[in-house]
Amino acid sequence: MASKERFHGGHFPKCIVLQAVFWYLRYSLSYRDIEDLMKERGVELDHVTVQRWVVKYTPTLEIEFRKRKKAVGTSWRMDETYIKVKAIGNNGSPREDHHRRKCC
């Protein structure tokens, strides 16, 4: 197998490593669940191996994903505002006034 198809010093192809890490991060699966899923697909590995992959590759993947993340729009609007005002009433006791204002 070509060196580009494996991570440096790795025994498993990149696609296997990335699939296991993706399953762990995307779905709430345990390491043993991922071990079972891989076994069903003919890949023999230990749950500790999956845990090591997650610890090792998650920070790198997060950086790469953030680079590719689309920017959120710079403009936003607030539809409705709710303001709570505490005031002193005519008789000297505190009262609360609730004012609702519809924007736009």
PDB file of all heavy atoms in Angstrom, residues 19-41:
ATOM      1  N   GLN A  19     -12.673   6.484   9.539  1.00  0.00           N
ATOM      2  CA  GLN A  19     -14.036   5.981   9.736  1.00  0.00           C
ATOM      3  C   GLN A  19     -14.311   5.744  11.215  1.00  0.00           C
ATOM      4  O   GLN A  19     -15.364   6.108  11.731  1.00  0.00           O
ATOM      5  CB  GLN A  19     -14.249   4.695   8.945  1.00  0.00           C
ATOM      6  CG  GLN A  19     -15.656   4.153   9.026  1.00  0.00           C
ATOM      7  CD  GLN A  19     -16.646   5.043   8.316  1.00  0.00           C
ATOM      8  OE1 GLN A  19     -16.514   5.290   7.137  1.00  0.00           O
ATOM      9  NE2 GLN A  19     -17.627   5.536   9.025  1.00  0.00           N
ATOM     10  N   ALA A  20     -13.366   5.137  11.913  1.00  0.00           N
ATOM     11  CA  ALA A  20     -13.545   4.862  13.337  1.00  0.00           C
ATOM     12  C   ALA A  20     -13.645   6.158  14.139  1.00  0.00           C
ATOM     13  O   ALA A  20     -14.512   6.302  15.008  1.00  0.00           O
ATOM     14  CB  ALA A  20     -12.395   4.003  13.851  1.00  0.00           C
ATOM     15  N   VAL A  21     -12.782   7.116  13.840  1.00  0.00           N
ATOM     16  CA  VAL A  21     -12.814   8.402  14.553  1.00  0.00           C
ATOM     17  C   VAL A  21     -14.107   9.139  14.231  1.00  0.00           C
ATOM     18  O   VAL A  21     -14.744   9.726  15.114  1.00  0.00           O
ATOM     19  CB  VAL A  21     -11.575   9.253  14.203  1.00  0.00           C
ATOM     20  CG1 VAL A  21     -11.683  10.641  14.807  1.00  0.00           C
ATOM     21  CG2 VAL A  21     -10.307   8.559  14.686  1.00  0.00           C
ATOM     22  N   PHE A  22     -14.546   9.099  12.977  1.00  0.00           N
ATOM     23  CA  PHE A  22     -15.800   9.749  12.592  1.00  0.00           C
ATOM     24  C   PHE A  22     -16.978   9.161  13.355  1.00  0.00           C
ATOM     25  O   PHE A  22     -17.817   9.899  13.877  1.00  0.00           O
ATOM     26  CB  PHE A  22     -16.022   9.597  11.077  1.00  0.00           C
ATOM     27  CG  PHE A  22     -17.381  10.051  10.629  1.00  0.00           C
ATOM     28  CD1 PHE A  22     -17.663  11.398  10.501  1.00  0.00           C
ATOM     29  CD2 PHE A  22     -18.378   9.138  10.355  1.00  0.00           C
ATOM     30  CE1 PHE A  22     -18.916  11.827  10.087  1.00  0.00           C
ATOM     31  CE2 PHE A  22     -19.630   9.548   9.947  1.00  0.00           C
ATOM     32  CZ  PHE A  22     -19.903  10.897   9.813  1.00  0.00           C
ATOM     33  N   TRP A  23     -17.057   7.836  13.429  1.00  0.00           N
ATOM     34  CA  TRP A  23     -18.158   7.200  14.158  1.00  0.00           C
ATOM     35  C   TRP A  23     -18.172   7.619  15.616  1.00  0.00           C
ATOM     36  O   TRP A  23     -19.221   7.869  16.176  1.00  0.00           O
ATOM     37  CB  TRP A  23     -18.057   5.680  14.062  1.00  0.00           C
ATOM     38  CG  TRP A  23     -18.535   5.113  12.771  1.00  0.00           C
ATOM     39  CD1 TRP A  23     -19.374   5.689  11.870  1.00  0.00           C
ATOM     40  CD2 TRP A  23     -18.195   3.838  12.243  1.00  0.00           C
ATOM     41  NE1 TRP A  23     -19.575   4.857  10.809  1.00  0.00           N
ATOM     42  CE2 TRP A  23     -18.873   3.700  11.010  1.00  0.00           C
ATOM     43  CE3 TRP A  23     -17.396   2.797  12.675  1.00  0.00           C
ATOM     44  CZ2 TRP A  23     -18.765   2.570  10.225  1.00  0.00           C
ATOM     45  CZ3 TRP A  23     -17.288   1.670  11.893  1.00  0.00           C
ATOM     46  CH2 TRP A  23     -17.969   1.560  10.683  1.00  0.00           C
ATOM     47  N   TYR A  24     -16.991   7.704  16.209  1.00  0.00           N
ATOM     48  CA  TYR A  24     -16.932   8.087  17.624  1.00  0.00           C
ATOM     49  C   TYR A  24     -17.383   9.534  17.815  1.00  0.00           C
ATOM     50  O   TYR A  24     -18.137   9.842  18.742  1.00  0.00           O
ATOM     51  CB  TYR A  24     -15.526   7.893  18.185  1.00  0.00           C
ATOM     52  CG  TYR A  24     -15.455   8.278  19.636  1.00  0.00           C
ATOM     53  CD1 TYR A  24     -15.940   7.423  20.616  1.00  0.00           C
ATOM     54  CD2 TYR A  24     -14.949   9.505  20.036  1.00  0.00           C
ATOM     55  CE1 TYR A  24     -15.905   7.773  21.950  1.00  0.00           C
ATOM     56  CE2 TYR A  24     -14.907   9.861  21.372  1.00  0.00           C
ATOM     57  CZ  TYR A  24     -15.393   8.992  22.323  1.00  0.00           C
ATOM     58  OH  TYR A  24     -15.366   9.352  23.637  1.00  0.00           O
ATOM     59  N   LEU A  25     -16.919  10.416  16.956  1.00  0.00           N
ATOM     60  CA  LEU A  25     -17.238  11.838  17.120  1.00  0.00           C
ATOM     61  C   LEU A  25     -18.659  12.173  16.682  1.00  0.00           C
ATOM     62  O   LEU A  25     -19.305  13.027  17.271  1.00  0.00           O
ATOM     63  CB  LEU A  25     -16.239  12.690  16.326  1.00  0.00           C
ATOM     64  CG  LEU A  25     -14.786  12.607  16.789  1.00  0.00           C
ATOM     65  CD1 LEU A  25     -13.901  13.397  15.840  1.00  0.00           C
ATOM     66  CD2 LEU A  25     -14.625  13.081  18.218  1.00  0.00           C
ATOM     67  N   ARG A  26     -19.153  11.525  15.661  1.00  0.00           N
ATOM     68  CA  ARG A  26     -20.468  11.869  15.111  1.00  0.00           C
ATOM     69  C   ARG A  26     -21.617  11.234  15.884  1.00  0.00           C
ATOM     70  O   ARG A  26     -22.633  11.861  16.125  1.00  0.00           O
ATOM     71  CB  ARG A  26     -20.520  11.432  13.640  1.00  0.00           C
ATOM     72  CG  ARG A  26     -21.852  11.642  12.959  1.00  0.00           C
ATOM     73  CD  ARG A  26     -22.217  13.115  12.919  1.00  0.00           C
ATOM     74  NE  ARG A  26     -23.469  13.340  12.265  1.00  0.00           N
ATOM     75  CZ  ARG A  26     -24.651  13.394  12.885  1.00  0.00           C
ATOM     76  NH1 ARG A  26     -24.714  13.220  14.176  1.00  0.00           N
ATOM     77  NH2 ARG A  26     -25.743  13.620  12.215  1.00  0.00           N
ATOM     78  N   TYR A  27     -21.465   9.985  16.248  1.00  0.00           N
ATOM     79  CA  TYR A  27     -22.518   9.255  16.951  1.00  0.00           C
ATOM     80  C   TYR A  27     -22.027   8.965  18.366  1.00  0.00           C
ATOM     81  O   TYR A  27     -20.843   8.867  18.599  1.00  0.00           O
ATOM     82  CB  TYR A  27     -22.843   7.945  16.226  1.00  0.00           C
ATOM     83  CG  TYR A  27     -23.135   8.155  14.766  1.00  0.00           C
ATOM     84  CD1 TYR A  27     -22.219   7.798  13.798  1.00  0.00           C
ATOM     85  CD2 TYR A  27     -24.318   8.748  14.352  1.00  0.00           C
ATOM     86  CE1 TYR A  27     -22.480   8.003  12.449  1.00  0.00           C
ATOM     87  CE2 TYR A  27     -24.581   8.953  13.011  1.00  0.00           C
ATOM     88  CZ  TYR A  27     -23.658   8.577  12.067  1.00  0.00           C
ATOM     89  OH  TYR A  27     -23.912   8.794  10.741  1.00  0.00           O
ATOM     90  N   SER A  28     -22.918   8.817  19.296  1.00  0.00           N
ATOM     91  CA  SER A  28     -22.501   8.556  20.675  1.00  0.00           C
ATOM     92  C   SER A  28     -22.277   7.050  20.868  1.00  0.00           C
ATOM     93  O   SER A  28     -23.030   6.379  21.556  1.00  0.00           O
ATOM     94  CB  SER A  28     -23.541   9.093  21.654  1.00  0.00           C
ATOM     95  OG  SER A  28     -24.785   8.490  21.391  1.00  0.00           O
ATOM     96  N   LEU A  29     -21.220   6.558  20.225  1.00  0.00           N
ATOM     97  CA  LEU A  29     -20.860   5.154  20.324  1.00  0.00           C
ATOM     98  C   LEU A  29     -19.675   4.996  21.269  1.00  0.00           C
ATOM     99  O   LEU A  29     -18.813   5.871  21.351  1.00  0.00           O
ATOM    100  CB  LEU A  29     -20.475   4.600  18.948  1.00  0.00           C
ATOM    101  CG  LEU A  29     -21.545   4.626  17.867  1.00  0.00           C
ATOM    102  CD1 LEU A  29     -20.945   4.203  16.532  1.00  0.00           C
ATOM    103  CD2 LEU A  29     -22.694   3.720  18.243  1.00  0.00           C
ATOM    104  N   SER A  30     -19.617   3.872  21.943  1.00  0.00           N
ATOM    105  CA  SER A  30     -18.461   3.587  22.790  1.00  0.00           C
ATOM    106  C   SER A  30     -17.343   3.018  21.919  1.00  0.00           C
ATOM    107  O   SER A  30     -17.556   2.627  20.768  1.00  0.00           O
ATOM    108  CB  SER A  30     -18.842   2.591  23.882  1.00  0.00           C
ATOM    109  OG  SER A  30     -19.098   1.321  23.321  1.00  0.00           O
ATOM    110  N   TYR A  31     -16.156   2.961  22.491  1.00  0.00           N
ATOM    111  CA  TYR A  31     -15.029   2.384  21.755  1.00  0.00           C
ATOM    112  C   TYR A  31     -15.292   0.913  21.450  1.00  0.00           C
ATOM    113  O   TYR A  31     -14.919   0.415  20.397  1.00  0.00           O
ATOM    114  CB  TYR A  31     -13.742   2.532  22.563  1.00  0.00           C
ATOM    115  CG  TYR A  31     -13.337   3.975  22.796  1.00  0.00           C
ATOM    116  CD1 TYR A  31     -13.101   4.449  24.068  1.00  0.00           C
ATOM    117  CD2 TYR A  31     -13.199   4.855  21.731  1.00  0.00           C
ATOM    118  CE1 TYR A  31     -12.727   5.764  24.287  1.00  0.00           C
ATOM    119  CE2 TYR A  31     -12.830   6.171  21.936  1.00  0.00           C
ATOM    120  CZ  TYR A  31     -12.590   6.623  23.214  1.00  0.00           C
ATOM    121  OH  TYR A  31     -12.234   7.924  23.419  1.00  0.00           O
ATOM    122  N   ARG A  32     -15.944   0.217  22.364  1.00  0.00           N
ATOM    123  CA  ARG A  32     -16.255  -1.200  22.136  1.00  0.00           C
ATOM    124  C   ARG A  32     -17.307  -1.369  21.030  1.00  0.00           C
ATOM    125  O   ARG A  32     -17.254  -2.327  20.266  1.00  0.00           O
ATOM    126  CB  ARG A  32     -16.715  -1.861  23.424  1.00  0.00           C
ATOM    127  CG  ARG A  32     -15.574  -1.992  24.418  1.00  0.00           C
ATOM    128  CD  ARG A  32     -15.994  -2.747  25.658  1.00  0.00           C
ATOM    129  NE  ARG A  32     -14.990  -2.664  26.685  1.00  0.00           N
ATOM    130  CZ  ARG A  32     -14.005  -3.544  26.845  1.00  0.00           C
ATOM    131  NH1 ARG A  32     -13.900  -4.559  26.024  1.00  0.00           N
ATOM    132  NH2 ARG A  32     -13.144  -3.393  27.818  1.00  0.00           N
ATOM    133  N   ASP A  33     -18.252  -0.425  20.948  1.00  0.00           N
ATOM    134  CA  ASP A  33     -19.226  -0.466  19.847  1.00  0.00           C
ATOM    135  C   ASP A  33     -18.520  -0.319  18.496  1.00  0.00           C
ATOM    136  O   ASP A  33     -18.837  -1.014  17.530  1.00  0.00           O
ATOM    137  CB  ASP A  33     -20.267   0.635  19.994  1.00  0.00           C
ATOM    138  CG  ASP A  33     -21.216   0.409  21.153  1.00  0.00           C
ATOM    139  OD1 ASP A  33     -21.353  -0.754  21.584  1.00  0.00           O
ATOM    140  OD2 ASP A  33     -21.821   1.395  21.623  1.00  0.00           O
ATOM    141  N   ILE A  34     -17.573   0.597  18.440  1.00  0.00           N
ATOM    142  CA  ILE A  34     -16.826   0.813  17.199  1.00  0.00           C
ATOM    143  C   ILE A  34     -15.975  -0.412  16.878  1.00  0.00           C
ATOM    144  O   ILE A  34     -15.862  -0.815  15.723  1.00  0.00           O
ATOM    145  CB  ILE A  34     -15.974   2.095  17.302  1.00  0.00           C
ATOM    146  CG1 ILE A  34     -16.906   3.303  17.435  1.00  0.00           C
ATOM    147  CG2 ILE A  34     -15.053   2.240  16.105  1.00  0.00           C
ATOM    148  CD1 ILE A  34     -16.237   4.583  17.778  1.00  0.00           C
ATOM    149  N   GLU A  35     -15.407  -1.026  17.914  1.00  0.00           N
ATOM    150  CA  GLU A  35     -14.650  -2.259  17.719  1.00  0.00           C
ATOM    151  C   GLU A  35     -15.545  -3.337  17.090  1.00  0.00           C
ATOM    152  O   GLU A  35     -15.144  -4.019  16.143  1.00  0.00           O
ATOM    153  CB  GLU A  35     -14.115  -2.755  19.063  1.00  0.00           C
ATOM    154  CG  GLU A  35     -13.372  -4.060  19.003  1.00  0.00           C
ATOM    155  CD  GLU A  35     -12.949  -4.560  20.375  1.00  0.00           C
ATOM    156  OE1 GLU A  35     -13.333  -3.952  21.402  1.00  0.00           O
ATOM    157  OE2 GLU A  35     -12.238  -5.583  20.410  1.00  0.00           O
ATOM    158  N   ASP A  36     -16.783  -3.460  17.580  1.00  0.00           N
ATOM    159  CA  ASP A  36     -17.723  -4.437  17.028  1.00  0.00           C
ATOM    160  C   ASP A  36     -18.107  -4.112  15.585  1.00  0.00           C
ATOM    161  O   ASP A  36     -18.202  -5.004  14.735  1.00  0.00           O
ATOM    162  CB  ASP A  36     -18.981  -4.521  17.896  1.00  0.00           C
ATOM    163  CG  ASP A  36     -18.705  -5.109  19.264  1.00  0.00           C
ATOM    164  OD1 ASP A  36     -17.672  -5.795  19.420  1.00  0.00           O
ATOM    165  OD2 ASP A  36     -19.528  -4.870  20.180  1.00  0.00           O
ATOM    166  N   LEU A  37     -18.348  -2.823  15.308  1.00  0.00           N
ATOM    167  CA  LEU A  37     -18.679  -2.421  13.937  1.00  0.00           C
ATOM    168  C   LEU A  37     -17.542  -2.742  12.972  1.00  0.00           C
ATOM    169  O   LEU A  37     -17.776  -3.209  11.851  1.00  0.00           O
ATOM    170  CB  LEU A  37     -18.997  -0.925  13.885  1.00  0.00           C
ATOM    171  CG  LEU A  37     -20.333  -0.487  14.471  1.00  0.00           C
ATOM    172  CD1 LEU A  37     -20.387   1.033  14.575  1.00  0.00           C
ATOM    173  CD2 LEU A  37     -21.472  -1.002  13.611  1.00  0.00           C
ATOM    174  N   MET A  38     -16.330  -2.485  13.412  1.00  0.00           N
ATOM    175  CA  MET A  38     -15.177  -2.785  12.559  1.00  0.00           C
ATOM    176  C   MET A  38     -15.020  -4.297  12.366  1.00  0.00           C
ATOM    177  O   MET A  38     -14.661  -4.754  11.279  1.00  0.00           O
ATOM    178  CB  MET A  38     -13.900  -2.191  13.161  1.00  0.00           C
ATOM    179  CG  MET A  38     -13.831  -0.698  13.045  1.00  0.00           C
ATOM    180  SD  MET A  38     -13.730  -0.229  11.312  1.00  0.00           S
ATOM    181  CE  MET A  38     -13.515   1.501  11.458  1.00  0.00           C
ATOM    182  N   LYS A  39     -15.286  -5.052  13.418  1.00  0.00           N
ATOM    183  CA  LYS A  39     -15.187  -6.512  13.315  1.00  0.00           C
ATOM    184  C   LYS A  39     -16.197  -7.044  12.305  1.00  0.00           C
ATOM    185  O   LYS A  39     -15.898  -7.949  11.530  1.00  0.00           O
ATOM    186  CB  LYS A  39     -15.427  -7.150  14.687  1.00  0.00           C
ATOM    187  CG  LYS A  39     -15.034  -8.614  14.747  1.00  0.00           C
ATOM    188  CD  LYS A  39     -15.202  -9.170  16.147  1.00  0.00           C
ATOM    189  CE  LYS A  39     -14.185  -8.514  17.063  1.00  0.00           C
ATOM    190  NZ  LYS A  39     -14.206  -9.039  18.418  1.00  0.00           N
ATOM    191  N   GLU A  40     -17.409  -6.454  12.280  1.00  0.00           N
ATOM    192  CA  GLU A  40     -18.425  -6.851  11.302  1.00  0.00           C
ATOM    193  C   GLU A  40     -17.966  -6.577   9.875  1.00  0.00           C
ATOM    194  O   GLU A  40     -18.400  -7.240   8.938  1.00  0.00           O
ATOM    195  CB  GLU A  40     -19.733  -6.107  11.554  1.00  0.00           C
ATOM    196  CG  GLU A  40     -20.468  -6.545  12.798  1.00  0.00           C
ATOM    197  CD  GLU A  40     -21.690  -5.691  13.076  1.00  0.00           C
ATOM    198  OE1 GLU A  40     -22.017  -4.805  12.249  1.00  0.00           O
ATOM    199  OE2 GLU A  40     -22.317  -5.899  14.128  1.00  0.00           O
ATOM    200  N   ARG A  41     -17.097  -5.593   9.718  1.00  0.00           N
ATOM    201  CA  ARG A  41     -16.591  -5.234   8.396  1.00  0.00           C
ATOM    202  C   ARG A  41     -15.256  -5.913   8.077  1.00  0.00           C
ATOM    203  O   ARG A  41     -14.594  -5.565   7.109  1.00  0.00           O
ATOM    204  CB  ARG A  41     -16.462  -3.721   8.293  1.00  0.00           C
ATOM    205  CG  ARG A  41     -17.837  -3.072   8.170  1.00  0.00           C
ATOM    206  CD  ARG A  41     -17.824  -1.621   8.583  1.00  0.00           C
ATOM    207  NE  ARG A  41     -19.122  -1.013   8.398  1.00  0.00           N
ATOM    208  CZ  ARG A  41     -20.176  -1.187   9.181  1.00  0.00           C
ATOM    209  NH1 ARG A  41     -20.091  -1.975  10.231  1.00  0.00           N
ATOM    210  NH2 ARG A  41     -21.316  -0.575   8.938  1.00  0.00           N
TER     211      ARG A  41
END
